[in-house]
Every structure is written in C-alpha cells, then in structure tokens.
Amino acid sequence: MITTDVNKEFADEKQRQIGAAQSREQAFQTRIDRGEIRLVGGDQYEVLTGWDRGERFAVARNAQGGIAEIIAQHGLDSRADGTIALYASSPAWHGLGQIVPGGTTDIDEVLRLGGLDFTVATVPALYRFGGELHEHTDRFHTVREDTGAALGVVGRRYEPIQNRQGFEFLQELVGRYDVVWESAGVIKGGRRVFISIRLPEGVKIDADGINDLVVPYVAVMNDHTGGGTFQCVVTPWRPVCANTERFAVRDAVTRWAVRHTAGAVDQIKEARRTLGLSVQYFEKFAAEETALARTNIAVNDFHKVIADLWPLDDDATDRVKTNHAARIGSLDAIFRTETDRVGRTAYAAERAITGYLDHVTPCRPPKSMTEEMARATAALEGADDDTKTKAHKRLMLLTTRA
C-alpha cells in the first residue's frame, strides 16, 4: 500500500508556490530593468515596447507585497451587470468585453453586446425663471430613450442618427448584408459610439520582400452630442505593432462625414464616391508603402524628417529643448526596432513615426477616460492624421532619388 506524507506534500506545494511567486517577481523586475515597462505612479505601469506599447495596467498585491493580479485598464462604458460595453470578434489583450468567437453578422446581437441597444430622441430644452418653467426656442436636448440620460444640446434642424442606422450604413456602403462586425462599443455614456468592419482582403506591403501585413478596416463613428458628425473612415491597421496607418495618399481619401440632418445616412452614393469603396485607397496605399519599403534611408535623413515635423526654434526654452531631445530619443528607439524587422528603409521610418504618434506621444485624457482609451479614440478619429500624412509625403520624396 502506498502512503502519502500529507505534511511533506503540503510543504512541497507551499515551496512551489513561493518559487513561482519569486519567479514572477523576478520576471516583472527584469522587464522594468530592460526598459520594457515603467512605473508611472502608485501601482500603475506602462508598457514601452512591443504590440502593447502605450498600454497601462495596474498591479494588485497581496498581504505579503507580492504580485497577486495584473489588471488591464480600459475606458469603455459598463453595463448594468458590470460587464464592459465592448463587442469584438477576437479577444482584446485585456480580456474584457463580450466576445463572440469568429464574430457575427447579427446586428441585434452586436447592438446588445456592445451596449448600443438604445435609441436617441430630442426633447425641448427647458429652463426655470421667475419660478416658472420656460422653453428655450430652437434648442433641444438629445437623450437616451432607455435611461433618459442627457447627451447634448442641439438645434431645431438636428435629427438623431440611430446606432442601428450606423450598421445599416456600413452594409449599404460595402454592398452586402453578411458582413462580419469586427468591433462596436460605447464611449462617454453613449455620447459617442463606434462600429467597424474588416474588409476581406489584407494588404501586403512589398510582397516579394518584407511581406508586411496591414489589415483594412472601415469604421463608423457617431456623435450624439450635437458637437460632432456621423463619419465613416478608412482605417488601415498594422497588427505587428497596433499602429493605425491612416494618412492621405495620392488621388484617394480616407474620411467622409455628414451632419445630423434629415436624410443624412441616405447619402450612400456620395459616401461611396468619396471613399471609392476603400478599394482604390488600399491599392494606392500598398503601392506607395512598397516604394518606401524599397528605399534605404540614413539616420540623418530620418532626423531631417523629424525636424520637419517637429521643428525646434533657436530661442526655445530649456524645457522645450529637453522635451525635443526626449522625443528624438523615443523615435530613434522605435526606428531601431523597426529597422531590425524590416531594414533601414523609409518604410521603417514611417512605422516609427506612426508608432510614436499612436503609442508614445504625451497624452492627457479627459477624466472620464483612461490614457489607453484616449489614445485608441484619437487613433480612430484621426487626431494625428495630418502629421502622419506630412511624414508620408516627406518620405515619399526620398523614393524619387533612389
């Protein structure tokens, strides 16, 4: 008969747990020492390298001070049951959100999972004066019809574009009703919502060389506050570094927008004409990016592009000079990483600049959002598209001399 020393088993298991905890602590400290993550305050850390560059997370510690749990941060709205108002066809790295493996073509399901299953109405704007309630002529509030929450103040001509209409708009735009919804979610209590689809064919840059993949998306962003538009954007995304590679290329555009008025989403023909159904854009995008990938570049040329994008005045203050030097240091580090992967080319230089803008450049998020969500929103809405376009055009000039 085999007997078991329970005390020894317990002691051995405890020792294994202690060893695992020590290994986790050592691995975590090693990442800090290597410059892969940094402490930003309290138990908050920021990822400095790799696919998750720019993401932040919190470390929960146990009574002994060891790492008990690593918790990703997000800025998405929560539903009544505490789950996150996010739908995605593949799990996000933070493990939050309601996931449907492989996505779904069912609009009702995405509306529910993404927290977009509400409609918006306009109600008269009222104010109290002299002890009586008065109506503000030509002014209305947009409100959620499920909760009554106020979203914004609008004029008489404003007509809400409902969340469902955003899905139907994308279906009409691409001319098919079996599209797989890639992501959808709610920001700031429903003031803004987003929906995206992934186009069937990926874009290969320099297929005979580096063979780099860029995934083509089309996204709709809808603003219910009265201060924004209903807009559709072409959004190339590079999985290897999570960069949003959207910039203007010759004879193609990336954005179409319309105000919230009667018949707004019926302007499908105009949207199709403007966006060229995205195909034309991605064809030109691939051709120009391949040209960059086949153009070698010196570090000095890279620094000249940086100087064009972020010039430093001769009479700049010491603080401005310090910030400028830090920016160059960050860009150089990203450029070295890209160079190791795709060669010292104009393509690597452009990837470094877009990576810096998406993940590293200083960001001051509003109180209602984390830095992670603020960066994602800025990338989707195109806050840095002009700078990315300027960099692209400047680097394209180098291809003519090759």
Side-chain angles (χ1 to χ4, degrees):
M1 183 177 70
I2 299 174
T3 60
T4 300
D5 186 335
V6 177
N7 290 329
K8 184 177 185 304
E9 285 288 319
F10 178 80
D12 290 346
E13 175 62 23
K14 193 66 177 176
Q15 194 59 44
R16 284 193 294 270
Q17 292 175 357
I18 292 172
Q22 289 175 341
S23 296
R24 190 176 191 184
E25 290 283 354
Q26 290 170 357
F28 192 77
Q29 187 59 48
T30 298
R31 292 195 67 194
I32 295 176
D33 295 341
R34 286 202 302 245
E36 296 176 4
I37 57 178
R38 71 181 179 96
L39 179 66
V40 295
D43 283 326
Q44 307 292 315
Y45 293 83
E46 180 181 12
V47 181
L48 302 178
T49 62
W51 290 13
D52 297 331
R53 183 170 58 227
E55 304 286 8
R56 290 198 177 192
F57 61 91
V59 174
R61 297 186 178 274
N62 55 31
Q64 291 73 41
I67 297 175
E69 186 179 9
I70 294 178
I71 308 166
Q73 294 185 353
H74 61 86
L76 297 168
D77 286 359
S78 296
R79 290 192 291 270
D81 62 1
T83 56
I84 303 306
L86 168 70
Y87 162 83
S89 68
S90 58
W93 75 271
H94 46 58
L96 297 172
Q98 304 304 299
I99 307 302
V100 175
T104 181
T105 59
D106 188 335
I107 292 179
D108 290 320
E109 188 173 12
V110 182
L111 284 168
R112 179 179 59 82
L113 292 172
L116 285 76
D117 53 347
F118 64 90
T119 54
V120 176
T122 57
V123 297
L126 306 176
Y127 64 95
R128 186 173 295 279
F129 180 76
E132 296 181 355
L133 206 57
H134 299 265
E135 182 176 333
H136 189 167
T137 306
D138 292 332
R139 283 290 178 267
F140 300 83
H141 288 290
T142 50
V143 298
R144 290 182 57 152
E145 291 196 286
D146 58 341
T147 64
L151 304 176
V153 179
V154 300
R156 181 175 294 278
R157 295 184 65 241
Y158 182 95
E159 183 169 312
I161 298 175
Q162 303 299 343
N163 297 334
R164 174 178 289 276
Q165 290 178 282
F167 287 89
E168 294 169 348
F169 177 88
L170 280 177
Q171 286 180 328
E172 290 281 351
L173 183 68
V174 300
R176 54 191 299 177
Y177 293 87
D178 60 347
V179 295
V180 175
W181 306 107
E182 184 75 12
S183 62
V186 177
I187 303 171
K188 293 185 177 180
R191 290 174 176 83
R192 286 146 75 186
V193 301
F194 63 91
I195 309 161
S196 75
I197 57 173
R198 174 175 175 167
L199 297 182
E201 300 296 328
V203 178
K204 292 293 182 69
I205 307 302
D206 191 17
D208 297 327
I210 60 174
N211 197 32
D212 205 19
L213 174 66
V214 173
V215 179
Y217 288 87
V218 179
V220 158
M221 291 169 289
N222 194 8
D223 185 294
H224 292 307
T225 68
T229 59
F230 175 92
Q231 57 180 315
C232 184
V233 293
V234 175
T235 307
W237 184 72
R238 186 168 175 246
V240 73
C241 59
N243 288 354
T244 302
E245 309 285 356
R246 185 174 56 243
F247 37 77
V249 299
R250 187 174 55 192
D251 301 325
V253 296
T254 61
R255 185 179 301 271
W256 178 84
V258 65
R259 304 295 299 180
H260 291 70
T261 55
V265 292
D266 293 332
Q267 300 179 36
I268 283 290
K269 289 184 179 179
E270 174 63 18
R272 278 186 178 149
R273 186 191 66 79
T274 304
L275 293 172
L277 206 55
S278 309
V279 174
Q280 182 183 32
Y281 172 80
F282 284 111
E283 288 176 351
K284 295 179 180 295
F285 175 92
E288 293 190 7
E289 293 300 282
T290 296
L292 293 179
R294 296 176 179 175
T295 301
N296 293 328
I297 185 174
V299 173
N300 187 49
D301 287 328
F302 179 54
H303 285 173
K304 287 179 180 178
V305 175
I306 295 174
D308 285 346
L309 298 176
W310 294 282
L312 180 66
D313 296 333
D314 293 335
D315 58 351
T317 64
D318 289 342
R319 181 178 180 181
V320 171
K321 290 178 180 178
T322 299
N323 292 339
H324 183 76
R327 179 188 294 116
I328 292 176
S330 296
L331 284 161
D332 280 345
I334 304 172
F335 182 51
R336 286 194 296 271
T337 299
E338 291 293 342
T339 295
D340 290 342
R341 207 183 65 79
V342 299
R344 185 174 289 177
T345 62
Y347 184 72
E350 189 175 71
R351 303 290 68 70
I353 293 168
T354 56
Y356 174 80
L357 291 169
D358 281 355
H359 306 294
V360 181
T361 186
C363 174
R364 293 183 179 179
K367 293 181 179 179
S368 61
M369 302 174 72
T370 65
E371 181 175 333
E372 174 193 28
M373 193 58 191
R375 286 189 185 279
T377 302
L380 188 62
E381 294 184 339
D384 295 310
D385 282 6
D386 288 346
T387 303
K388 292 177 182 180
T389 295
K390 184 176 180 180
H392 178 75
K393 290 180 177 179
R394 177 67 174 78
L395 289 165
M396 282 299 295
L397 294 176
L398 301 179
T399 65
T400 61
R401 73 179 190 187

